[in-house]
Amino acid sequence: MFCRPIAEDLASQPRERPSGGLSIFYYPNFKPDKPDNLRPIAIVGASDLALLRADAGAIIKVTDALLSDSVCSYRLNRSPFPPGTAWGFDRRDSWKNGFVAGGIQILDEAKFPFMCRTDIRKFYPSIQFDLLRESLLKSDCDRQAVERIFSFLKFWQEFYGLAGLPIGPEACAVLSNFFLRPVDELMVVAGAEYRRYGDDMLIFSHDRPMGEAVTEFLDEELNRLQLSRSVDKTEYFDDPAAAKSNLRDAEINYMSDAAHLDAGVGLYTARRGFRRLLYTAPEDLKPSQLRWVLKFLTNKREPDGCFELSSRADLMNVDPKVAVNYLAVGTRKQGVLANCMQRLAQPREERFDGLTLHQLRLMTQTKTGRDEAKEFERIATDQSTPWPTRSWGWAAYAHANSTKPSRLMEAARDEADPNIRRTIIATLKRHSDSSQCRTFLRDEAERCPLNKYTAEWAKTA
């Protein structure tokens, strides 16, 4: 969360257009039939992100109260925050506890035994700015906040070829969630039970004819919003048991029950599940099962499978963040870091950019030396590499034992990208007691206003 004083200070500065630009980072979006599928994630500069988040905070305080209780995604956390901090979304487990569990509860009550599960085709890129802006203003959202956000979006649309909303910034989650409010209202009028998480929808009815009729109404409403339903992802379930199996993975349920029954049995079951996943063909792999097993082993601090996982780039790339979080448990296990470094030394492949980023993040949490630092610097200075990955390259380099602050200051002076430059400056906090470093940070705060706060923080950290 951004502190209010910084966001307000940024917002008070005249701004004709975003300052840090927009970068598209391709992150793995594993699907069994497309194991190397990538999703474009928008990465926004820090100052622009702070402004977007501040304005989204003003908007969600209005829009959240207007959303149906059936909407489980991106809801405002209304519990009090510590003084000086900004707003935040509700619980991170709302997918499981609100969407999945809510759907299962409806099926258990047996009043609406038929279920249709569907989503929207290319949702974020298809959102029409004019319709969204009109809806926000009609709902009495803060006009200045709305206009400021849309000036950003239109600039990115014109200069970066953006279509619809960028995937990534929290502000866009707030806007996309509210854009589907007419769909939520339609479900109330249609008399169907309903749960929604983002654009993933569960529609419950008495029987198939009614469910199919509601789906036709949904298509009409989506057409008015210039959206379309994903026909190939739409599934109908006449059997409540089959619907519940779709919502909750039977294998995960089995492993979870074993863990609750006995800690030892649960750990054994998770280990066995991991071994089975190691030899599962990509077309048969369920990402939800892999995530559950890795998170379970991570929480139990069980490093048994870290070595095997560290040698499987394809398996780590199903969910790089979850996989590398697990590797952090086994950094002392022989061969884990060596396997990571061996992969980092490979020529860049776009499909592994997300994995590279998270493995570099891991290197900031463990001991590395001169040889590793050379590899980190190579990645950090590779102009073909996306700036978020290059930033983590410098962070890993700065953490290595052989790092010299003079090289970091030199790199910051030579770096044209303000986002990477900001990262390098932040790493200098370890050396802020030296007069040379303090002088550099003072000059940087004067020379580059966008990095003023980062330089001040590094100097006083």
Side-chain angles (χ1 to χ4, degrees):
M1 294 180 290
F2 292 97
C3 290
R4 285 202 184 98
I6 294 178
E8 290 171 0
D9 188 82
L10 285 167
S12 67
Q13 299 177 12
R15 193 70 62 86
E16 296 179 358
R17 67 180 193 180
S19 59
L22 179 81
S23 295
I24 301 299
F25 187 86
Y26 288 92
Y27 199 80
N29 183 28
F30 179 90
K31 297 179 181 179
D33 57 334
K34 298 178 181 177
D36 294 328
N37 189 54
L38 300 175
R39 170 179 291 178
I41 301 295
I43 307 295
V44 182
S47 58
D48 295 337
L49 193 62
L51 283 169
L52 283 171
R53 200 176 194 287
D55 289 334
I59 290 172
I60 196 174
K61 290 173 183 175
V62 175
T63 60
D64 186 73
L66 299 175
L67 291 175
S68 164
D69 290 340
S70 297
V71 179
C72 308
S73 53
Y74 315 124
R75 303 307 299 262
L76 178 64
N77 186 342
R78 296 187 176 276
S79 61
F81 286 101
T85 57
W87 63 276
F89 287 135
D90 204 358
R91 300 182 306 274
R92 296 180 64 184
D93 59 357
S94 56
W95 165 270
K96 181 179 71 173
N97 292 340
F99 184 71
V100 174
I104 291 173
Q105 181 180 356
I106 292 172
L107 293 166
D108 285 339
E109 291 172 354
K111 185 179 179 181
F112 298 94
F114 177 82
M115 185 181 87
C116 170
R117 183 170 187 173
T118 189
D119 68 6
I120 297 172
R121 183 176 180 272
K122 296 182 179 179
F123 177 44
Y124 269 55
S126 301
I127 292 176
Q128 301 298 311
F129 287 174
D130 292 340
L131 292 176
L132 175 57
R133 177 179 173 277
E134 179 184 1
S135 179
L136 291 168
L137 293 177
K138 279 186 176 180
S139 301
D140 293 327
C141 291
D142 184 287
R143 178 173 287 272
Q144 285 188 332
V146 172
E147 298 297 357
R148 194 154 42 219
I149 282 183
F150 279 87
S151 68
F152 277 47
L153 295 174
K154 288 178 179 178
F155 174 79
W156 289 330
Q157 189 176 56
E158 182 176 351
F159 288 92
Y160 293 91
L162 174 70
L165 289 179
I167 301 173
E170 288 174 309
C172 296
V174 172
L175 301 179
S176 68
N177 212 29
F178 188 68
F179 189 62
L180 291 180
R181 185 188 173 204
V183 172
D184 306 331
E185 294 173 339
L186 167 70
M187 293 301 155
V188 175
V189 174
E193 277 290 342
Y194 171 68
R195 289 291 182 274
R196 176 168 70 81
Y197 193 97
D199 67 320
D200 199 346
M201 304 177 200
L202 304 176
I203 302 170
F204 302 90
S205 60
H206 294 294
D207 51 35
R208 178 179 282 268
M210 181 180 175
E212 291 177 344
V214 173
T215 305
E216 291 179 6
F217 296 150
L218 171 64
D219 288 340
E220 294 174 5
E221 189 61 48
L222 291 177
N223 186 55
R224 279 192 279 271
L225 295 173
Q226 300 182 37
L227 301 171
S228 60
R229 176 171 54 90
S230 296
V231 177
D232 58 328
K233 293 183 180 179
T234 301
E235 298 180 89
Y236 297 101
F237 299 90
D238 295 287
D239 182 5
K244 286 188 280 189
S245 294
N246 177 267
L247 290 176
R248 68 181 173 208
D249 190 298
E251 183 72 14
I252 292 177
N253 200 41
Y254 166 74
M255 291 188 288
S256 180
D257 287 345
H260 283 102
L261 178 66
D262 180 88
V265 172
L267 186 56
Y268 169 79
T269 304
R271 283 174 174 171
R272 188 179 63 178
F274 176 74
R275 298 295 172 191
R276 181 179 54 77
L277 290 167
L278 282 173
Y279 301 104
T280 299
E283 61 271 17
D284 297 325
L285 182 67
K286 291 186 177 180
S288 58
Q289 291 182 8
L290 180 63
R291 292 189 185 101
W292 189 93
V293 167
L294 293 181
K295 287 180 179 179
F296 182 88
L297 295 175
T298 301
N299 291 335
K300 295 297 182 181
R301 310 298 296 174
E302 172 51 63
D304 182 59
C306 288
F307 176 76
E308 289 88 346
L309 184 64
S310 67
S311 62
R312 290 283 304 276
D314 60 330
L315 205 56
M316 288 189 289
N317 214 42
V318 173
D319 193 322
K321 181 179 179 181
V322 172
V324 173
N325 284 348
Y326 177 50
L327 294 187
V329 175
T331 52
R332 294 183 180 180
K333 200 172 182 66
Q334 186 175 6
V336 171
L337 291 181
N339 283 343
C340 289
M341 290 305 306
Q342 185 177 7
R343 206 214 63 78
L344 288 172
Q346 300 300 312
R348 181 199 168 209
E349 292 183 65
E350 188 179 68
R351 65 193 178 111
F352 289 131
D353 279 345
L355 179 57
T356 299
L357 183 151
H358 285 292
Q359 286 189 320
L360 289 169
R361 174 175 63 85
L362 174 64
M363 297 303 169
T364 66
Q365 304 169 22
T366 189
K367 291 183 179 180
T368 54
R370 184 181 302 275
D371 291 340
E372 291 86 355
K374 289 180 180 178
E375 196 60 52
F376 303 150
E377 185 176 9
R378 180 192 65 79
I379 296 172
T381 54
D382 184 352
Q383 297 295 321
S384 69
T385 299
W387 73 258
T389 307
R390 292 181 59 203
S391 294
W392 277 107
W394 280 120
Y397 173 85
H399 186 80
N401 289 335
S402 62
T403 299
K404 293 182 179 180
S406 58
R407 174 65 185 112
L408 291 169
M409 287 183 277
E410 177 189 357
R413 292 189 188 99
D414 294 340
E415 182 55 60
D417 190 308
N419 299 298
I420 301 175
R421 187 179 182 122
R422 184 179 296 110
T423 298
I424 301 172
I425 292 168
T427 66
L428 290 170
K429 68 176 183 178
R430 296 174 58 194
H431 310 284
S432 60
D433 56 343
S434 75
S435 59
Q436 181 187 19
C437 184
R438 294 180 70 82
T439 299
F440 169 81
L441 292 172
R442 185 184 65 244
D443 293 344
E444 180 66 22
E446 296 174 356
R447 183 168 54 246
C448 186
L450 286 175
N451 289 341
K452 172 184 175 182
Y453 297 110
T454 306
E456 290 294 333
W457 172 80
K459 189 168 62 174
T460 59

